[in-house]
Structures are given as structure tokens and as C-alpha cells.
Amino acid sequence: MIIVVRNNADKGQLENLLTWLKGQGITPHLSVGTSQTIVGCIGDVSHVDIDLIRALDVVDSVQRIQEPYKNVNRKFHPEDTVVDCSGPKIGGGAFQVIAGPCAVEDEAQLLAIARGVKEAGATMLRGGAFKPRTSPYSFQGLGAEGIRLLLKAREETGLPVVTEIMNVQHLPLFEDVDVIQVGARNMQNFELLKELGHTRKPILLKRGLANTLQELLMSAEYIMAGGNPNVMLCERGIRTFETSTRNTLDLTVVPVLHRQSHLPVVIDPSHATGHAWMVTPCAVAATAIGADALIVEVHNDPAHAKSDGAQSLTIAQFSEMMEKVRRIRPLACRDR
Ligand code: PEP
Ligand code: MN
């Protein structure tokens, strides 16, 4: 249920309403926007007399919400959420490009890529320390050492770092990381999502290989329900019958999610396509359709990358991609 508060409502009366709602076992979430103030109500509202609330002086209108997701719902929070990633902001008109290797391999590799992508205009550095590989015989990542190298690259370049968590027990290792990624394979690891909800870290939540947008939003709801408002939704391609791409890039998520939710939407054209030559056109399209950020895999030597080399751009290719993204960005759709 959402309660739209009358403009210029009396503060004391609004406080009384919030206290009364709490007394009814409801958790009220106040969202103060530039044009509207809204109270989103979470809990069992079936017993609440809507007409009684409607009749209050401070209340403009009351609406029951049909969707199972509440905190992430645009109706609860009409203004775009802006996530502060230790400086760079994502959402609400602020756009960033996150770039870096699939996996952190060694110090020289990471620093060369970090310097290169920064020079080309990336504002955040990605790199996997814990890698979810399909085969147990593939490179599994450097683990804690990978995180140490990311923090070193941040110290040198100033770029905030994004890296994936796979195991809730590793959370203490992520204390100094700027953005924690939840990979596609962990989108419904609910115990992990609950723990991340108890932090205030920005979370980049990737859509699962075969998950609907409603399921993605419910996973984001797990994080927000725990009290963490800093969630970004990421489309990285879904499993379909098509074989010419690694996954199918569903760009329709951008307008759909922007309508259903206030959370920023990030597009990953690398895992979506699986081929470096497709990454730039898809990055440009994602920018044009109104994505709030891109996350792109870049390697200084893709042919010898320990993971996802085929979809990794060279630094020069990334620089060309950035040029095109910069040109298209002023034309991006801002429809909500
Ligand atoms: C990654 O970002 O390298 C990764 C493994 O992503 P995804 O979870 O989207 O496959
Ligand atoms: Mn990868």
C-alpha cells in the first residue's frame, strides 16, 4: 500500500500517521521527492481501513500495490535512485562505464588494464577475484590476493573497484571494496542476498541466466528489505535457443525496469554477446536505450586471458567504444 501525502502537509500530523501505522504492525517508508511525498507501507495491510486513512487531512490518496516487490517498486519511490560508488554516481541521469578484466590474473596485468581503461574514460574498475567457472578445472581466480591487487590498482588510478562475491563467508574480505557484484549464478542465493542487505555497500545484482525480471526484482527486494538501498540491476544476457551469441542481450529490460523500479540499470554487453566484435555495437545500443551504466570486459592481451578472452576488448578497442558511447550518450532515452 502507498499513501500519497498532501503537499504542504503538517509535519506533526504526518508523524502521527507514521506512528499510527507502526502501531498497526506496518513498516512505513517515507520517500520525500521534489514533487511528491509518499509513504510506502510494508507488512500485512489487509486489516487496515483504507477509507480511514483517506479521510486524514495529510493524505492525498491511498493505493494498494499488487506487485510482490515493494521497496524496489517505482510506486514506492517515484524518483530514480542514485547509487554513490565511492565518488562516481550511477542513476538519475548519472552515467558511468565500468571496465576491466574478467579475472584479476596478476599485478602487471591488472595495473596495465586499469591505467588503460582510465585513460580511455572508464570511471570504475572491474575484476573478478573469485570466479564462478563452469568447469572446476578452469582458473578459479586469485581469491583474497585478487582483492588486494584491486585495492592496489585503485590506490594507483583512483578508480573505485567492482568485484564478485560468491560465498557469504567471504564478506569480511570485501570490506574495502567499493561495489560488490552478485553474479548471474548467485542471483537467487537468498542467504547471500540477506547478508548483503545488512551492509550499506553498493550491490551490482546480475540477472540470472534464466530468470524473469520479476525474479530479478524480488532478489533486489531481499537486499533492500534488509535495509541496504544501494542496489543496481544488471542485464548480462539470458539463455535462449540462439547459439550465435553466448547469451541473448535483452535490452528491453532498460525501459521495463525503469518503469517498474527506481533502481539504476546496468548493461553488460560482454557476457551477453560472448564475442569482442559485438561488444561495441551493443554498448552503443545500451547507451542509446537509456542504461545508467555499462560494465565491459577489457584485457591487455585477450588471446592469453585466463578467462573470457574471446569477449574481452583490447584497450584500443575499448577506447574506440568509449568514443562512440560518448557521442551517443546525449541522445539517450530518458523516458520513465
Ligand atoms: C563476470 O562478471 O565475470 C561474470 C562471471 O558475470 P556473470 O555472473 O554475468 O556470468
Ligand atoms: Mn567474465
Side-chain angles (χ1 to χ4, degrees):
M1 184 175 78
I2 61 165
I3 303 170
V4 180
V5 177
R6 236 184 246 296
N7 285 337
N8 309 318
D10 178 79
K11 274 212 168 82
Q13 287 184 346
L14 180 56
E15 274 307 319
N16 288 345
L17 172 61
L18 298 179
T19 310
W20 181 81
L21 287 167
K22 285 179 200 158
Q24 301 286 308
I26 289 164
T27 310
H29 289 256
L30 193 63
S31 165
V32 183
T34 44
S35 60
Q36 242 182 2
T37 295
I38 279 172
V39 183
C41 301
I42 295 189
D44 181 11
V45 291
S46 57
H47 63 282
V48 174
D49 183 348
I50 282 204
D51 290 330
L52 191 111
I53 300 176
R54 267 197 197 110
L56 297 174
D57 271 355
V58 283
V59 173
D60 184 65
S61 61
V62 186
Q63 201 189 331
R64 286 204 192 270
I65 300 291
Q66 305 304 329
E67 296 85 3
Y69 47 90
K70 313 291 178 194
N71 284 284
V72 307
N73 201 317
R74 170 85 61 191
K75 290 174 187 159
F76 261 51
H77 189 289
E79 312 231 332
D80 289 348
T81 280
V82 181
V83 177
D84 186 336
C85 305
S86 313
K89 296 186 172 51
I90 297 181
F95 175 81
Q96 308 298 335
V97 178
I98 307 161
C102 177
V104 177
E105 297 171 16
D106 57 60
E107 184 169 335
Q109 171 245 19
L110 185 64
L111 286 179
I113 298 169
R115 289 187 200 113
V117 297
K118 184 183 181 179
E119 168 92 21
T123 44
M124 296 170 69
L125 176 66
R126 64 147 289 149
F130 294 93
K131 294 304 305 173
R133 304 305 300 277
T134 301
S135 165
Y137 308 117
S138 301
F139 177 58
Q140 301 287 307
L142 297 181
E145 170 65 4
I147 294 185
R148 190 186 70 77
L149 293 177
L150 282 164
L151 299 181
K152 189 158 188 197
R154 178 181 68 189
E155 206 174 292
E156 190 173 308
T157 59
L159 297 177
V161 296
V162 182
T163 194
E164 176 171 353
I165 190 165
M166 284 175 40
N167 185 330
V168 71
Q169 284 165 356
H170 293 157
L171 193 53
L173 295 172
F174 287 70
E175 201 171 346
D176 297 323
V177 159
D178 301 289
V179 176
I180 300 179
Q181 173 176 318
V182 175
R185 292 153 189 85
N186 267 312
M187 188 201 91
Q188 289 189 312
N189 181 340
F190 299 118
E191 291 304 317
L192 175 61
L193 301 177
K194 281 186 213 167
E195 276 310 311
L196 295 174
H198 297 140
T199 74
R200 286 294 173 279
K201 284 277 183 211
I203 308 296
L204 182 71
L205 177 65
K206 288 189 155 196
R207 180 184 185 181
L209 275 65
N211 285 110
T212 64
L213 293 185
Q214 176 148 317
E215 287 163 344
L216 173 62
L217 290 169
M218 291 310 291
S219 289
E221 185 77 17
Y222 263 94
I223 303 170
M224 286 197 73
N228 185 353
N230 301 310
V231 185
M232 298 174 274
L233 306 167
C234 180
E235 164 68 25
R236 43 77 75 207
I238 48 172
R239 182 71 54 93
T240 70
F241 49 80
E242 184 51 63
T243 55
S244 48
T245 45
R246 183 179 180 185
N247 292 290
T248 295
L249 175 56
D250 181 5
L251 280 182
T252 61
V253 307
V254 179
V256 174
L257 290 175
H258 277 157
R259 173 173 283 235
Q260 294 176 345
S261 176
H262 49 88
L263 297 176
V265 181
V266 181
I267 297 291
D268 173 347
S270 306
H271 292 89
T273 60
H275 301 279
W277 62 270
M278 283 185 217
V279 170
T280 293
C282 291
V284 169
T287 306
I289 205 169
D292 299 291
L294 305 175
I295 180 164
V296 180
E297 287 187 345
V298 178
H299 202 282
N300 56 340
D301 184 7
H304 295 103
K306 288 190 176 162
S307 84
D308 285 349
Q311 68 195 30
S312 298
L313 298 181
T314 60
I315 291 165
Q317 288 168 332
F318 177 69
S319 190
E320 283 168 34
M321 184 210 93
M322 285 299 292
E323 208 37 60
K324 292 182 179 161
V325 164
R326 264 194 292 272
R327 269 191 275 137
I328 206 78
R329 175 65 191 149
L331 307 174
C333 267
R334 295 273 302 130
D335 301 341
R336 294 286 184 269

